[in-house]
Amino acid sequence: MWIYNLGLMLYGWAVRIAALRIAKARQWIEGRRHLFRRMAQTIDPRARIVWIHAASLGEFEQGRPIIEKLRREHPEYKILLTFFSPSGYEIRKNYDGADYIFYLPLDTPRNARRFLDIARPEIAIFVKYEFWLNLLGELRRRKIRSYIVSAIFRRDSIFFKPYGGMWRQALEAFDALFVQNEESKQLLAELGFDNAVVAGDTRFDRVAEIALAARKIDIVERFKGDKRLFVAGSTWGPDEELLIRLMNDNPGIRFLVAPHEMEESRIARLMEQTRGGALRYTQCSADTDFESTQLLILDTVGLLSSVYGYAAWGYIGGGFGVGIHNTLEAATFGLPIAFGPNYEKFKEARDLAMLGAAQAVENYDQLRDWFSPLRDDPDFLLKTSRVAKDYTTSHQGATGLILRTIFQ
């Protein structure tokens, strides 16, 4: 355990050094300044607390259905939400679904005790991963009911290594482990844990909520008009190289591209190289004429999940880098989707590809060959769309199962 604590101390020093030149590291430090004092001043000592921890923004989206259903069905509890990463906290620090929102302190033994002394949660819920050994040990010593949700365990993870003893011991803090698949349950059984429950992934519940609450976007609606729309979400440079060629080969199709990062050079390239004409979303108004525009660049945040509802096909970026982004937001609208080759770590992408509702592509020829039959054969498009939609619908329900089990 001393090696773990030493590693945390070195990590903390490294972040402080990085904060001298990296904005995200400065946010990490500043967000934790006077943390315990702010918690003590804010959290009602009489409140019954459910503490939910999400590492970052993606895990928050997985935990969000639980937070919101818990708030509706158990108003007797106050919800404490913590983040480890600035990319989660800074975006969701004003989220109105939780009563208290803070950074998680660095997991030293003293910090773990101070955090729990102030928070006093009756229930602790960790989303997907982040196994903080001191906090989990303290939760177990205090006999606080603790759970992990939407978890995935793989044989190559530290829990199954000869040197993973303290990590295996940390899992004993959980009253139940809600896992995404049967494989995870079987792996945990090999370690002697019989309290794993195959509940699935709460993200399916989240994207269903997003689809039901999809916004009407006048600019997108008028841009689409009576044409068919292809939406590419969270794209990077290599994705955009393929998409530019696809746009230029399909002048009768309207395209909407939402870059993952708003780099001016990439936006300029999209606008210059799209022969059918391009506009930026933020430059459009109620009077904009889209007659000579084939591409709309979504250069703002918060709209992409609703935009998918206007599309007939989708493309998910990131597959030529570290991994693809969210495929479920598109699939829940019944979109056949394509993405780059790096998708194997994402179960839903593998499932959709196996079912024929998604296609990994390594080059433009493969993207063209995937798109052409979906463009030209309405029956094939309808069949593929139904497969995508049915997949997302059939996997809903994890949130209800988790909360029924916790509060039974």
Side-chain angles (χ1 to χ4, degrees):
M1 193 68 176
W2 67 268
I3 296 177
Y4 172 80
N5 290 326
L6 176 62
L8 285 176
M9 183 175 65
L10 295 174
Y11 178 83
W13 288 347
V15 173
R16 284 173 170 78
I17 294 170
L20 299 174
R21 54 187 175 83
I22 299 175
K24 190 173 182 180
R26 284 195 297 274
Q27 290 176 328
W28 195 96
I29 295 295
E30 289 299 320
R32 289 169 169 81
R33 195 177 301 279
H34 307 304
L35 173 63
F36 296 117
R37 185 174 70 190
R38 289 186 284 113
M39 287 179 61
Q41 291 172 344
T42 305
I43 297 175
D44 183 350
R46 299 163 299 179
R48 301 179 67 187
I49 301 290
V50 175
W51 167 36
I52 298 177
H53 175 67
S56 191
L57 189 60
E59 291 72 37
F60 165 77
E61 291 297 330
Q62 283 185 289
R64 186 168 178 170
I66 293 174
I67 294 171
E68 296 181 355
K69 191 174 180 66
L70 174 62
R71 199 170 185 82
R72 291 193 303 270
E73 297 184 354
H74 295 277
E76 68 273 21
Y77 287 98
K78 298 290 187 182
I79 296 172
L80 166 63
L81 173 64
T82 59
F83 292 94
F84 185 76
S85 167
S87 59
Y89 176 83
E90 296 300 330
I91 293 175
R92 294 302 183 191
K93 59 187 176 184
N94 296 316
Y95 168 60
D96 60 9
D99 299 283
Y100 313 111
I101 304 176
F102 294 100
Y103 276 102
L104 189 72
L106 195 63
D107 185 38
T108 65
R110 182 168 181 264
N111 282 352
R113 292 192 296 270
R114 292 181 70 187
F115 177 85
L116 292 176
D117 284 344
I118 298 170
R120 299 171 299 99
E122 291 186 19
I123 299 169
I125 299 173
F126 292 75
V127 181
K128 194 172 182 178
Y129 53 58
E130 285 214 333
F131 301 91
W132 298 110
L133 302 190
N134 289 310
L135 270 167
L136 289 173
E138 197 65 26
L139 286 167
R140 187 182 178 196
R141 280 188 288 275
R142 299 183 187 213
K143 298 182 179 179
I144 295 171
R145 288 195 291 147
S146 302
Y147 305 89
I148 189 165
V149 300
S150 293
I152 294 180
F153 291 87
R154 298 182 177 89
R155 190 171 293 281
D156 61 357
S157 67
I158 194 169
F159 301 100
F160 304 94
K161 304 294 184 183
Y163 50 83
M166 64 181 179
W167 299 93
R168 293 189 288 272
Q169 185 177 17
L171 296 180
E172 296 175 6
F174 295 117
D175 291 72
L177 300 100
F178 296 100
V179 297
Q180 291 191 28
N181 53 34
E182 190 66 37
E183 179 187 2
S184 294
K185 181 177 181 178
Q186 291 174 359
L187 287 171
L188 287 168
E190 291 178 16
L191 298 179
F193 292 96
D194 60 1
N195 57 339
V197 178
V198 180
D201 189 344
T202 53
R203 284 183 305 162
F204 288 94
D205 300 325
R206 175 60 187 152
V207 296
E209 292 172 357
I210 289 172
L212 287 173
R215 297 161 56 181
K216 181 179 183 295
I217 307 172
D218 180 66
I219 288 174
V220 174
E221 200 165 289
R222 290 193 298 109
F223 165 69
K224 176 180 180 293
D226 59 0
K227 305 282 188 178
R228 293 184 293 173
L229 180 65
F230 186 113
V231 172
S234 302
T235 60
W236 295 82
D239 304 304
E240 290 153 12
E241 289 182 17
L242 305 187
L243 291 166
I244 288 170
R245 294 184 63 182
L246 191 68
M247 286 185 273
N248 290 336
D249 284 350
N250 291 274
I253 304 295
R254 292 277 164 94
F255 285 78
L256 186 146
V257 174
H260 184 68
E261 294 181 349
M262 307 302 172
E263 294 179 4
E264 290 300 321
S265 60
R266 283 171 43 204
I267 291 175
R269 181 186 179 201
L270 283 164
M271 296 187 72
E272 292 167 3
Q273 296 188 13
T274 302
R275 292 196 291 264
L279 287 172
R280 298 172 67 142
Y281 179 89
T282 55
Q283 295 175 338
C284 297
S285 69
D287 300 321
T288 302
D289 182 2
F290 295 106
E291 184 63 30
S292 59
T293 304
Q294 184 189 11
L295 168 65
L296 184 63
I297 300 170
L298 192 65
D299 58 342
T300 187
V301 297
L303 298 180
L304 179 60
S305 58
S306 293
V307 166
Y308 284 125
Y310 290 96
W313 317 272
Y315 180 96
I316 309 301
F320 290 94
V322 297
I324 59 173
H325 295 280
N326 193 331
T327 56
L328 293 180
E329 286 186 351
T332 196
F333 286 102
L335 301 190
I337 53 177
F339 38 71
N342 191 0
Y343 72 98
E344 290 294 337
K345 293 187 296 184
F346 304 92
K347 180 181 183 300
E348 65 279 2
R350 297 197 309 270
D351 290 346
L352 288 165
M354 182 183 66
L355 292 168
Q359 178 66 52
V361 299
E362 297 183 3
N363 52 53
Y364 176 67
D365 289 343
Q366 291 179 359
L367 179 62
R368 180 197 60 210
D369 292 345
W370 164 79
F371 180 62
S372 296
L374 291 166
R375 177 197 62 200
D376 298 336
D377 186 340
D379 291 336
F380 180 54
L381 174 60
L382 180 60
K383 177 182 176 182
T384 308
S385 297
R386 283 175 175 166
V387 171
K389 180 64 177 177
D390 289 348
Y391 172 75
T392 61
T393 301
S394 66
H395 284 77
Q396 293 168 20
T399 302
L401 173 58
I402 290 167
L403 289 181
R404 284 195 301 273
T405 305
I406 291 175
F407 290 99
Q408 64 185 357

